[in-house]
Amino acid sequence: MDIILLGPPGAGKGTQAQRLVEHHGMLQLSTGDMLRETRKADTELGHKVADIMDSGGLVSDEIVSAMIDAKLADMGPETGAIFDGYPRTAAQADQLDDILARHGRKLDHVIELEVNEEALVERITGRFTCANCGAGYHDVFKQPATPGVCDKCGSTEFKRRPDDNEETVRKRMQEYRGKTAPILPGYEQRGIVSRVDGMASIEDVTHAIDSILTR
Ligand code: AMP
């Protein structure tokens, strides 16, 4: 089963994708994570990607679609893909259709996480992760049980995303509204869109997604 998780930055796509990986053995394909790897490299592409990400803009369709194509080429047909943060433009949605067809796959569900944008700014600007294992935390909503120590691996090193500041977040939301939300009607015409209340608790959102996948 291949699905898209759609929603503005901070809607919980990454959190829910990780839970689908744990519960259903699917694979999370996050273009944001792939680009965070790319930007680490001291190359022309790495610097270009870093500049775009820090501005809250979008990296070129060709670059992200090529990344997705390469990941799918390495995946067996029995493993379901969760597209997290991709597609983000109409061109990427078209490219994804071509890529899936080439790999003999098809899209089963597009799940939109509906959220209140103002609440998202608080959600995003407070989030941080364990630098060692990637476990996610939040200044207000989810502190580690022992302050300063990761619940999962015991590490005391944490990090924040450079693009999780208010100015960049607002630009990312503007990009979502202007370029990503308009791809939904095309998927609606195919009858594969489901909506979930992304402001509900993490557990409740997971539950709602599970019932969509098993119906
Ligand atoms: P994310 O982790 O999904 O919030 O993505 C972080 C940043 O990476 C975005 O603000 C964009 O700059 C870039 N990015 C991630 N996915 C895409 C995509 N599908 N198309 C273009 N840019 C992307």
Side-chain angles (χ1 to χ4, degrees):
M1 187 178 293
D2 288 343
I3 69 169
I4 295 175
L5 289 182
L6 210 67
K13 302 184 297 289
T15 302
Q16 295 301 329
Q18 282 176 9
R19 293 169 74 97
L20 287 168
V21 169
E22 283 164 24
H23 300 174
H24 301 285
M26 298 173 81
L27 205 71
Q28 175 186 13
L29 300 182
S30 156
T31 42
D33 286 349
M34 294 172 206
L35 291 167
R36 276 183 281 282
E37 280 303 310
T38 305
R39 71 176 286 170
K40 284 185 193 162
D42 187 14
T43 59
E44 201 182 323
L45 177 64
H47 296 154
K48 196 169 130 193
V49 164
D51 285 346
I52 296 171
M53 290 177 87
D54 290 346
S55 76
L58 293 181
V59 174
S60 89
D61 296 328
E62 286 64 34
I63 291 176
V64 290
S65 290
M67 288 173 158
I68 290 289
D69 197 4
K71 291 280 175 187
L72 286 177
D74 286 343
M75 273 173 68
E78 67 293 341
T79 306
I82 309 155
F83 298 103
D84 161 12
Y86 176 90
R88 256 175 158 100
T89 64
Q92 290 178 27
D94 288 343
Q95 287 158 355
L96 177 60
D97 283 340
D98 291 345
I99 293 168
L100 288 172
R102 246 187 303 112
H103 292 285
R105 311 178 69 112
K106 79 166 194 10
L107 211 50
D108 297 286
H109 294 283
V110 175
I111 299 177
E112 186 195 10
L113 299 175
E114 292 185 301
V115 283
N116 164 337
E117 277 197 18
E118 281 310 309
L120 289 191
V121 176
E122 186 187 16
R123 249 197 210 184
I124 297 184
T125 52
R127 68 187 181 181
F128 61 98
T129 55
C130 170
N132 178 48
C133 74
Y137 296 99
H138 194 279
D139 292 329
V140 179
F141 308 121
K142 194 184 168 207
Q143 281 282 354
T146 306
V149 182
C150 176
D151 296 344
K152 284 204 175 154
C153 75
S155 165
T156 52
E157 298 285 323
F158 295 90
K159 60 183 184 182
R160 288 175 194 266
R161 281 172 49 168
D163 57 343
D164 277 353
N165 61 79
E166 181 162 351
E167 189 190 346
T168 309
V169 168
R170 294 211 184 267
K171 167 74 177 162
R172 285 157 65 200
M173 283 177 182
Q174 199 182 322
E175 292 285 55
Y176 180 79
R177 259 182 268 122
K179 296 181 183 159
T180 309
I183 69 180
L184 264 165
Y187 290 127
E188 263 165 49
Q189 278 176 5
R190 296 195 220 165
I192 55 173
V193 176
S194 304
R195 295 197 161 77
V196 168
D197 175 11
M199 300 312 292
S201 70
I202 293 176
E203 279 303 329
D204 286 351
V205 175
T206 303
H207 189 70
I209 293 176
D210 276 345
S211 36
I212 291 163
L213 301 188
T214 52
R215 76 180 171 214

